[in-house]
Amino acid sequence: DDDDDDEDVTTNHNDLDRDDDDVDDDGGRFINPVPVIHARASSSSANARRRAEGDESVRDAFDAEEIFEHVRDINDPEHPYSLEQLNVVNPDAITVDDAKCRIKVEFTPTVPHCSMATLIGLSIRVKLLRVLPRRFKVDVRIAPGTHASERAVNKQLNDKERVAAALENANLLEKVDLCLSGRTAI
C-alpha cells in the first residue's frame, strides 16, 4: 500500500480559474461556488473486512467503516464531488450499535446556510434504506452547530411520514437518484 493514499490533501478552488459569477447548470448561483475538496481516504480496511467476511453463514456485525463505505460516494447535489471529498460525511461521525440495530449518521454541510442539506440527508437515508437489512433504525442528522436550520432539517429527515411523502414526489426522487448515481442533481 502507498502511504500517500492516507494523506489529507485539500484543494481550495479559489486558486483555480473561475469567474466571480459562477453559475450552476440552470443558470443560477451556486450556494457554495468554491468548496474545499478533500482527498479520498484509502479503502484498505474495507478490503480487509471483505476478505475476513468470507463465511456467509455467519452474520457479520456492521460497523461505522462499513456504513461509511455505503455513503462516501454519494454525490453532492450541487457539485461534481462526493460527500467524502467535500468532507460532508466521515467515519468518525457514524455510530453503529449492531446489537440494538441502530445507526446514526451525522453529516456536515459545506456552508451553514446550505439549502441542499435536506436533499443530502435524504440521499444518505435512501442509500442506507436500500442497502441495509430492514432491522436497522437509521437516524440521519446534521452535525450540531453546523447549519442555520439544523433543528428543522433534522426533524424533516427523521420523520417517517415526511420522508415517505418526499419519496412519493417524482421530481425529488429523481434528484436523490442522481446523487446516488454519482451525478449532480442541480
Side-chain angles (χ1 to χ4, degrees):
D1 283 342
D2 189 357
D3 289 338
D4 293 338
D5 289 343
D6 295 331
E7 289 184 24
D8 184 19
V9 179
T10 59
T11 304
N12 186 328
H13 288 280
N14 282 324
D15 301 334
L16 302 178
D17 293 330
R18 296 181 77 124
D19 296 331
D20 288 336
D21 296 320
D22 288 330
V23 294
D24 63 21
D25 293 339
D26 295 327
R29 287 198 158 311
F30 282 117
I31 295 164
N32 182 5
V34 287
V36 175
I37 310 305
H38 299 262
R40 187 171 161 86
S42 172
S43 295
S44 59
S45 62
N47 292 334
R49 185 179 59 252
R50 280 188 213 101
R51 285 190 300 272
E53 294 178 348
D55 186 357
E56 293 299 322
S57 65
V58 177
R59 184 180 135 215
D60 299 312
F62 283 85
D63 61 19
E65 235 356 275
E66 188 168 2
I67 301 305
F68 179 68
E69 287 296 320
H70 289 300
V71 300
R72 73 190 300 176
D73 291 325
I74 296 173
N75 219 68
D76 181 79
E78 183 181 32
H79 297 287
Y81 303 108
S82 72
L83 297 183
E84 177 188 24
Q85 288 174 303
L86 295 172
N87 206 32
V88 172
V89 295
N90 69 69
D92 295 333
I94 298 172
T95 307
V96 177
D97 186 337
D98 192 69
K100 292 183 179 178
C101 301
R102 296 187 65 94
I103 294 172
K104 180 179 175 184
V105 177
E106 286 187 345
F107 68 97
T108 305
T110 59
V111 291
H113 56 276
C114 179
S115 65
M116 299 290 146
T118 304
L119 181 56
I120 291 168
L122 188 59
S123 297
I124 293 168
R125 175 173 291 290
V126 168
K127 175 67 176 194
L128 293 177
L129 289 174
R130 289 180 180 175
V131 300
L132 292 175
R134 295 180 58 104
R135 65 185 171 93
F136 282 101
K137 175 174 182 339
V138 177
D139 188 22
V140 178
R141 304 181 95 41
I142 291 179
T146 63
H147 194 274
S149 301
E150 167 189 336
R151 189 169 171 203
V153 173
N154 285 342
K155 185 175 180 177
Q156 288 179 325
L157 292 174
N158 293 291
D159 182 314
K160 286 169 62 170
E161 286 81 21
R162 289 184 188 193
V163 170
L167 297 177
E168 289 177 5
N169 179 325
N171 184 46
L172 187 54
L173 185 57
E174 178 185 9
K175 292 186 183 316
V176 167
D177 285 335
L178 285 170
C179 292
L180 297 181
S181 68
R183 294 178 284 173
T184 56
I186 304 299

